[in-house]
PDB file of all heavy atoms in Angstrom:
ATOM      1  N   PRO A 278     -31.896-130.280  80.814  1.00 94.00           N
ATOM      2  CA  PRO A 278     -30.566-130.938  80.753  1.00 94.00           C
ATOM      3  C   PRO A 278     -30.663-132.236  79.959  1.00 94.00           C
ATOM      4  O   PRO A 278     -31.706-132.856  79.832  1.00 94.00           O
ATOM      5  CB  PRO A 278     -30.244-131.172  82.252  1.00 94.00           C
ATOM      6  CG  PRO A 278     -31.558-131.234  82.908  1.00 94.00           C
ATOM      7  CD  PRO A 278     -32.446-130.293  82.164  1.00 94.00           C
ATOM      8  N   GLY A 279     -29.520-132.663  79.451  1.00 94.00           N
ATOM      9  CA  GLY A 279     -29.460-133.880  78.670  1.00 94.00           C
ATOM     10  C   GLY A 279     -29.796-135.123  79.494  1.00 94.00           C
ATOM     11  O   GLY A 279     -29.711-135.108  80.739  1.00 94.00           O
ATOM     12  N   ALA A 280     -30.130-136.186  78.799  1.00 94.00           N
ATOM     13  CA  ALA A 280     -30.521-137.424  79.483  1.00 94.00           C
ATOM     14  C   ALA A 280     -29.376-138.037  80.287  1.00 94.00           C
ATOM     15  O   ALA A 280     -29.638-138.901  81.141  1.00 94.00           O
ATOM     16  CB  ALA A 280     -31.023-138.425  78.455  1.00 94.00           C
ATOM     17  N   ASP A 281     -28.132-137.615  80.040  1.00 95.00           N
ATOM     18  CA  ASP A 281     -27.017-138.194  80.791  1.00 95.00           C
ATOM     19  C   ASP A 281     -26.628-137.355  82.016  1.00 95.00           C
ATOM     20  O   ASP A 281     -25.681-137.709  82.724  1.00 95.00           O
ATOM     21  CB  ASP A 281     -25.799-138.391  79.880  1.00 95.00           C
ATOM     22  CG  ASP A 281     -25.332-137.120  79.221  1.00 95.00           C
ATOM     23  OD1 ASP A 281     -26.047-136.082  79.323  1.00 95.00           O
ATOM     24  OD2 ASP A 281     -24.276-137.117  78.575  1.00 95.00           O
ATOM     25  N   GLU A 282     -27.345-136.253  82.267  1.00 96.00           N
ATOM     26  CA  GLU A 282     -27.100-135.508  83.505  1.00 96.00           C
ATOM     27  C   GLU A 282     -27.636-136.298  84.697  1.00 96.00           C
ATOM     28  O   GLU A 282     -28.624-137.026  84.588  1.00 96.00           O
ATOM     29  CB  GLU A 282     -27.752-134.133  83.448  1.00 96.00           C
ATOM     30  CG  GLU A 282     -27.171-133.190  82.416  1.00 96.00           C
ATOM     31  CD  GLU A 282     -25.761-132.718  82.786  1.00 96.00           C
ATOM     32  OE1 GLU A 282     -25.303-132.979  83.918  1.00 96.00           O
ATOM     33  OE2 GLU A 282     -25.106-132.053  81.937  1.00 96.00           O
ATOM     34  N   LEU A 283     -26.986-136.116  85.842  1.00 96.00           N
ATOM     35  CA  LEU A 283     -27.274-136.972  87.001  1.00 96.00           C
ATOM     36  C   LEU A 283     -28.744-136.924  87.414  1.00 96.00           C
ATOM     37  O   LEU A 283     -29.345-137.982  87.687  1.00 96.00           O
ATOM     38  CB  LEU A 283     -26.384-136.579  88.157  1.00 96.00           C
ATOM     39  CG  LEU A 283     -26.535-137.405  89.443  1.00 96.00           C
ATOM     40  CD1 LEU A 283     -26.356-138.889  89.188  1.00 96.00           C
ATOM     41  CD2 LEU A 283     -25.538-136.929  90.505  1.00 96.00           C
ATOM     42  N   GLU A 284     -29.345-135.747  87.445  1.00 97.00           N
ATOM     43  CA  GLU A 284     -30.753-135.689  87.887  1.00 97.00           C
ATOM     44  C   GLU A 284     -31.682-136.389  86.898  1.00 97.00           C
ATOM     45  O   GLU A 284     -32.686-136.989  87.279  1.00 97.00           O
ATOM     46  CB  GLU A 284     -31.223-134.244  88.132  1.00 97.00           C
ATOM     47  CG  GLU A 284     -31.092-133.314  86.971  1.00 97.00           C
ATOM     48  CD  GLU A 284     -29.898-132.370  87.116  1.00 97.00           C
ATOM     49  OE1 GLU A 284     -28.795-132.857  87.428  1.00 97.00           O
ATOM     50  OE2 GLU A 284     -30.085-131.166  86.948  1.00 97.00           O
ATOM     51  N   ARG A 285     -31.361-136.298  85.605  1.00 97.00           N
ATOM     52  CA  ARG A 285     -32.174-137.000  84.603  1.00 97.00           C
ATOM     53  C   ARG A 285     -31.981-138.515  84.726  1.00 97.00           C
ATOM     54  O   ARG A 285     -32.955-139.272  84.577  1.00 97.00           O
ATOM     55  CB  ARG A 285     -31.811-136.527  83.199  1.00 97.00           C
ATOM     56  CG  ARG A 285     -32.252-135.115  82.843  1.00 97.00           C
ATOM     57  CD  ARG A 285     -33.757-134.960  82.719  1.00 97.00           C
ATOM     58  NE  ARG A 285     -34.352-135.865  81.732  1.00 97.00           N
ATOM     59  CZ  ARG A 285     -34.475-135.551  80.436  1.00 97.00           C
ATOM     60  NH1 ARG A 285     -34.043-134.374  79.979  1.00 97.00           N
ATOM     61  NH2 ARG A 285     -35.023-136.398  79.605  1.00 97.00           N
ATOM     62  N   VAL A 286     -30.762-138.950  84.962  1.00 97.00           N
ATOM     63  CA  VAL A 286     -30.501-140.384  85.131  1.00 97.00           C
ATOM     64  C   VAL A 286     -31.295-140.919  86.301  1.00 97.00           C
ATOM     65  O   VAL A 286     -31.956-141.976  86.216  1.00 97.00           O
ATOM     66  CB  VAL A 286     -29.001-140.662  85.308  1.00 97.00           C
ATOM     67  CG1 VAL A 286     -28.756-142.129  85.697  1.00 97.00           C
ATOM     68  CG2 VAL A 286     -28.223-140.322  84.041  1.00 97.00           C
ATOM     69  N   LEU A 287     -31.266-140.198  87.427  1.00 98.00           N
ATOM     70  CA  LEU A 287     -32.016-140.635  88.601  1.00 98.00           C
ATOM     71  C   LEU A 287     -33.520-140.663  88.317  1.00 98.00           C
ATOM     72  O   LEU A 287     -34.201-141.633  88.619  1.00 98.00           O
ATOM     73  CB  LEU A 287     -31.700-139.720  89.784  1.00 98.00           C
ATOM     74  CG  LEU A 287     -30.309-139.848  90.402  1.00 98.00           C
ATOM     75  CD1 LEU A 287     -30.065-138.713  91.384  1.00 98.00           C
ATOM     76  CD2 LEU A 287     -30.171-141.183  91.124  1.00 98.00           C
ATOM     77  N   GLY A 288     -34.047-139.581  87.769  1.00 98.00           N
ATOM     78  CA  GLY A 288     -35.471-139.510  87.486  1.00 98.00           C
ATOM     79  C   GLY A 288     -35.943-140.530  86.496  1.00 98.00           C
ATOM     80  O   GLY A 288     -36.941-141.223  86.718  1.00 98.00           O
ATOM     81  N   ASP A 289     -35.218-140.651  85.384  1.00 98.00           N
ATOM     82  CA  ASP A 289     -35.612-141.609  84.336  1.00 98.00           C
ATOM     83  C   ASP A 289     -35.519-143.035  84.843  1.00 98.00           C
ATOM     84  O   ASP A 289     -36.483-143.841  84.706  1.00 98.00           O
ATOM     85  CB  ASP A 289     -34.699-141.454  83.121  1.00 98.00           C
ATOM     86  CG  ASP A 289     -34.947-140.182  82.331  1.00 98.00           C
ATOM     87  OD1 ASP A 289     -36.041-139.585  82.506  1.00 98.00           O
ATOM     88  OD2 ASP A 289     -34.077-139.770  81.557  1.00 98.00           O
ATOM     89  N   THR A 290     -34.396-143.406  85.426  1.00 98.00           N
ATOM     90  CA  THR A 290     -34.162-144.782  85.807  1.00 98.00           C
ATOM     91  C   THR A 290     -35.048-145.218  86.971  1.00 98.00           C
ATOM     92  O   THR A 290     -35.657-146.303  86.957  1.00 98.00           O
ATOM     93  CB  THR A 290     -32.674-144.997  86.198  1.00 98.00           C
ATOM     94  OG1 THR A 290     -31.838-144.578  85.106  1.00 98.00           O
ATOM     95  CG2 THR A 290     -32.408-146.474  86.498  1.00 98.00           C
TER      96      THR A 290
END
Side-chain angles (χ1 to χ4, degrees):
D281 58 351
E282 293 290 351
L283 181 55
E284 58 256 49
R285 289 291 302 272
V286 172
L287 288 169
D289 289 340
T290 305

